[in-house]
Every structure is written in structure tokens, then in C-alpha cells.
Amino acid sequence: RAYPYYRSGGSYGGISFDIEPYDAAVYVDGEYYGIVSDFSPYEAPLTLPSGRHHIDIDVPGYSGLSFDVTILPRQVIPYSGTIGR
């Protein structure tokens, strides 16, 4: 299943990524969800249950990126940047 945490009637929000390189892997709370281009501003956002989550962006040969985010119901958080080597 694409969203194993989905519960009917739950409150959800999302995050979108405008990050280079576009093939960087996205992990949420330790689970792989896809690559950043899957959740670009031109695609559907990464939908998550509201609350605090830990995001890891990883691509071989780059320094990577980790941060915590609080997802709010019915809101999409845009995140942009470049991952350094």
C-alpha cells in the first residue's frame, strides 16, 4: 500500500519538495516513500497524518538532509533547497 497509515476520518496534511537532486530518496519516520520528484510542486504532495514527523532526504554522494516537521490538517508545506555534496 502506498500509504499504510491511512485511516478513514483521520486528519491529514502534506509536504511537497522542490529539492535538487530530484532523485534523492525520501524517508518519513524511517520508512521509504519515494523520490523528491514524486512529491514536487507539480505533483500531488506527500500526504501524512497530522502531527510531528521526521524526514530524511538521502542520495549517494551527497551530504543528505534531515529535519522534523509538524504536519497540520488540510495544509501542504512547501520545502525547497539543494543538497550539498
Side-chain angles (χ1 to χ4, degrees), residues 21 23-25 27 57-64 83-85:
D23 62 345
Y27 296 87
I57 309 292
D58 187 40
V59 64
Y62 289 78
S63 60
I83 300 175
R85 287 192 180 260

Side-chain angles (χ1 to χ4, degrees), residues 32-72:
Y32 177 76
Y33 277 80
I35 59 175
V36 294
S37 64
D38 292 338
F39 311 108
S40 76
Y42 307 105
E43 302 295 333
L46 173 54
T47 303
L48 296 169
S50 58
R52 194 154 182 84
H53 297 278
H54 183 75
I55 308 290
D56 290 304
I57 309 292
D58 187 40
V59 64
Y62 289 78
S63 60
L65 178 66
S66 293
F67 59 94
D68 291 323
V69 63
T70 300
I71 301 296
L72 301 173

Side-chain angles (χ1 to χ4, degrees), residues 14-19 36 39-41 43-46 76-80:
I15 186 167
S16 67
F17 301 102
D18 187 8
I19 295 177
V36 294
F39 311 108
S40 76
E43 302 295 333
L46 173 54
V76 175
I77 299 168
Y79 194 92
S80 64

